[in-house]
């Protein structure tokens, strides 16, 4: 895989910084008498609607629900915009950890950024809670003892979608993929499922991040004759691709398969273009009384919008992290991570969910169908949940993983 100049610059920053890392010391109590959590993601760019300010709202809700303190120690939240640039993301992480006393980072950065930040967190032994970053490498070949994966990844989400479509005879696929590690991982994982099901990938195109014009990419996909056009992107890229695909009439003869659709994107695109599209999701706000109650509170705090998958997971990640600090009475990263992995997650969206040694939150996933306009009865009434996928069927099996953390259990 060709590495960008920004990524190489980020690695240069990191390599120099690791040389100055202090020797590990067992922390006692709360360092600096304050628990400081950083939220890092795209605050203003193409992915800002997926996490962005909405994830900050979710983190603040979690802190507020904890009373703003743990065992009498104040909780502080800091926020940074990584601008979708690996060197900026790594620099922020180094500044936060080395100079500003940040104890953990909740990440929803592009995977190219998160890989560099993860190395910082591992070297400093600080928890990295991924709530929206989707590349499956973080619980596979690039796993870290300090990283947990809370929401979704490029292995689990396409698995059920591909199985369903191939079973219906939709067995030739073409990919429109965002050109960086996240999109390429999404395409690679999905391709494996297509081939395993007896399907075939007939072609693919790469598009730059934050594209506004998808005409040439979509026309290439259309001319391929593939039965399925898979959109391996997210954020505004996905919304633009979907809208332009409708304008070109692709959906009249070819099935569009969104691999990372979130409810905020469904809202911005509208039900008409998306009606009856099938997807897999870790969370839907309208599933239970508890999820609806949380969504109502979230709407009051965030301009009437319901939480999407990443934003709900941010709340869960911050809450579980704070519970671990309360139980261990320390913010020492390794001690807190041990506690997080040995204590089941129990909150408004997950019940008795464990965290595997590789950092994977073993939550169930849900198959969903997007409703028609006639079926939708109230704001954000967009999905019909069609089935529940148990965690052991959704996520990469430990037997298939290359993560060393699973081999030492």
């Amino acid at each position: 895989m060709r590495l960008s100049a920004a990524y190489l610059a980020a690695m240069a920053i990191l390599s120099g910084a690791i040389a100055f890392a202090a020797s590990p010391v067992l922390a006692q109590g709360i360092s600096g008498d304050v628990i400081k959590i950083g939220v890092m993601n795209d605050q203003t760019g193409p992915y800002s609607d997926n996490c962005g300010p909405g994830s900050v709202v979710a983190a603040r809700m979690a802190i507020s629900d904890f009373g703003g303190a743990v065992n009498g120690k104040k909780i502080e939240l800091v926020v940074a915009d990584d601008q979708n640039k690996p060197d900026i993301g790594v620099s922020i992480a180094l500044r936060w950890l080395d100079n500003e006393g940040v104890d953990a980072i909740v990440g929803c950065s592009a995977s190219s950024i998160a890989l560099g930040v993860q190395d910082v967190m591992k070297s400093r032994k600080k928890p990295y809670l991924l709530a929206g970053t989707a590349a499956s490498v973080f619980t596979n070949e690039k796993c870290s003892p300090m990283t947990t994966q809370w929401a979704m990844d490029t292995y689990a989400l396409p698995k059920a979608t591909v199985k369903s479509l191939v079973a219906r005879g939709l067995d030739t696929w073409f990919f429109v993929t965002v050109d960086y590690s996240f999109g390429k991982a999404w395409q690679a994982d999905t391709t494996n499922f297509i081939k395993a099901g007896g399907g075939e990938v007939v072609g693919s195109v790469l598009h730059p991040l934050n594209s506004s014009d998808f005409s040439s990419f979509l026309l290439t996909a259309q001319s391929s004759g593939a039965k399925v056009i898979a959109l391996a992107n997210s954020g505004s890229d996905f919304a633009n691709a979907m809208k332009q695909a409708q304008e070109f009439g692709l959906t009249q003869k070819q099935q569009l398969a969104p691999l990372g659709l979130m409810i905020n994107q469904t809202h911005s695109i509208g039900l008409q273009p998306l009606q009856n599209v099938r997807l897999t999701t870790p969370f839907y706000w309208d599933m239970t009384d508890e999820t609806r109650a949380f969504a109502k509170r979230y709407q009051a705090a965030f301009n009437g919008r319901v939480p999407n998958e990443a934003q709900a997971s941010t709340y869960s990640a911050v809450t579980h992290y704070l519970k671990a600090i309360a139980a261990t009475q320390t913010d020492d990263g390794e001690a807190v991570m041990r506690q997080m992995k040995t204590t089941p997650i129990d909150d408004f969206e997950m019940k008795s969910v464990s965290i595997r040694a590789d950092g994977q939150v073993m939550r169930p996933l849900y198959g969903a169908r997007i409703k028609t306009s006639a079926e939708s009865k109230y704001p954000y009434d967009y999905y019909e949940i069609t089935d529940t996928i148990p965690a052991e069927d959704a996520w990469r099996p430990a037997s298939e993983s290359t993560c060393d953390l699973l081999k030492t259990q």
Side-chain angles (χ1 to χ4, degrees):
M1 180 177 68
R2 183 179 296 173
L3 298 178
S4 68
Y7 182 80
L8 293 173
M11 294 303 97
I13 293 171
L14 176 59
S15 297
I18 288 176
F20 293 96
S23 300
V25 178
L26 181 62
Q28 300 293 330
I30 304 300
S31 58
D33 272 348
V34 63
I35 300 158
K36 187 174 285 191
I37 301 170
V39 172
M40 183 193 299
N41 58 42
D42 176 3
Q43 287 285 304
T44 57
Y47 292 150
S48 59
D49 203 35
N50 285 1
C51 301
S55 288
V56 177
V57 168
R60 292 193 190 283
M61 287 176 63
I63 292 169
S64 176
D65 288 349
F66 232 88
V70 177
N71 300 334
K73 303 299 183 182
K74 183 181 177 182
I75 307 166
E76 291 185 1
L77 187 73
V78 293
V79 180
D81 185 349
D82 59 35
Q83 301 176 45
N84 289 305
K85 297 178 180 179
D87 53 338
I88 290 177
V90 169
S91 294
I92 291 167
L94 289 168
R95 186 184 76 243
W96 273 356
L97 270 58
D98 293 348
N99 301 327
E100 299 181 17
V102 168
D103 298 298
I105 295 178
V106 184
C108 187
S109 297
S111 301
S112 54
I113 301 170
L115 285 168
V117 173
Q118 174 174 261
D119 287 342
V120 174
M121 306 305 282
K122 183 178 180 180
S123 72
R124 303 308 195 268
K125 296 182 172 58
K126 299 290 186 180
Y128 191 30
L129 317 178
L130 293 179
T133 300
S136 62
V137 297
F138 294 100
T139 53
N140 195 35
E141 66 267 30
K142 297 292 185 180
C143 67
S144 164
M146 302 310 298
T147 298
T148 48
Q149 174 62 280
W150 286 81
M152 71 285 285
D153 73 7
T154 57
Y155 178 98
L157 288 191
K159 184 178 181 180
T161 301
V162 169
K163 184 177 180 180
S164 173
L165 292 176
V166 172
R168 290 164 50 197
L170 300 172
D171 55 2
T172 55
W173 291 61
F174 187 98
F175 284 90
V176 177
T177 301
V178 64
D179 189 10
Y180 74 94
S181 55
F182 154 71
K184 293 174 182 178
W186 213 297
Q187 179 174 329
D189 285 332
T190 306
T191 297
N192 290 335
F193 296 127
I194 293 167
K195 291 180 177 179
E200 178 187 3
V201 176
V202 299
S204 65
V205 290
L206 294 171
H207 72 81
L209 177 65
N210 203 16
S211 295
S212 58
D213 183 3
F214 281 82
S215 56
S216 64
F217 309 119
L218 294 172
L219 290 172
T220 301
Q222 187 177 42
S223 64
S224 73
K227 296 175 183 178
V228 181
I229 299 173
L231 300 178
N233 53 21
S234 189
S236 61
D237 284 333
F238 172 80
N240 289 334
M242 193 73 199
K243 290 175 181 176
Q244 291 170 40
Q246 291 292 326
E247 293 170 2
F248 295 152
L250 267 67
T251 56
Q252 296 175 13
K253 294 184 179 181
Q254 293 167 293
Q255 173 79 47
L256 290 179
L259 300 180
L261 180 64
M262 293 189 185
I263 198 167
N264 52 287
Q265 296 159 343
T266 302
H267 181 73
S268 64
I269 295 168
L271 291 181
Q272 184 63 32
L274 292 171
Q275 60 185 341
N276 295 316
V277 165
R278 301 280 176 159
L279 69 145
T280 306
T281 182
F283 170 79
Y284 178 49
W285 74 273
D286 202 13
M287 288 185 65
T288 68
D289 288 343
E290 283 186 276
T291 59
R292 283 186 284 272
F294 178 81
K296 184 176 181 180
R297 293 175 53 217
Y298 187 89
Q299 285 181 294
F302 195 46
N303 305 317
R305 296 172 56 174
V306 299
N308 66 18
E309 298 87 331
Q311 292 153 354
S313 295
T314 295
Y315 179 95
S316 294
V318 173
T319 298
H320 196 63
Y321 171 72
L322 293 175
K323 286 180 178 179
I325 291 178
T328 59
Q329 300 187 46
T330 180
D331 58 3
D332 173 72
E334 291 179 302
V336 171
M337 188 60 73
R338 283 194 298 270
Q339 181 68 21
M340 291 178 70
K341 289 184 176 180
T342 56
T343 305
I345 303 163
D346 192 356
D347 60 23
F348 76 98
E349 64 165 339
M350 289 182 272
K351 303 299 178 186
S352 299
V353 168
S354 63
I355 302 177
R356 202 164 60 182
D358 59 355
Q360 180 61 59
V361 172
M362 296 299 290
R363 62 190 301 165
L365 297 180
Y366 304 96
R369 179 186 66 86
I370 298 180
K371 294 181 176 182
T372 65
S373 299
E375 291 174 309
S376 180
K377 303 303 182 185
Y378 43 86
Y380 291 97
D381 176 25
Y382 294 157
Y383 296 168
E384 174 195 4
I385 299 299
T386 57
D387 57 298
T388 299
I389 306 166
E392 57 270 22
D393 294 334
W395 305 101
R396 188 191 306 275
S399 60
E400 295 180 10
S401 177
T402 60
C403 175
D404 291 338
L405 297 172
L406 293 173
K407 298 176 183 177
T408 58
Q409 284 185 304

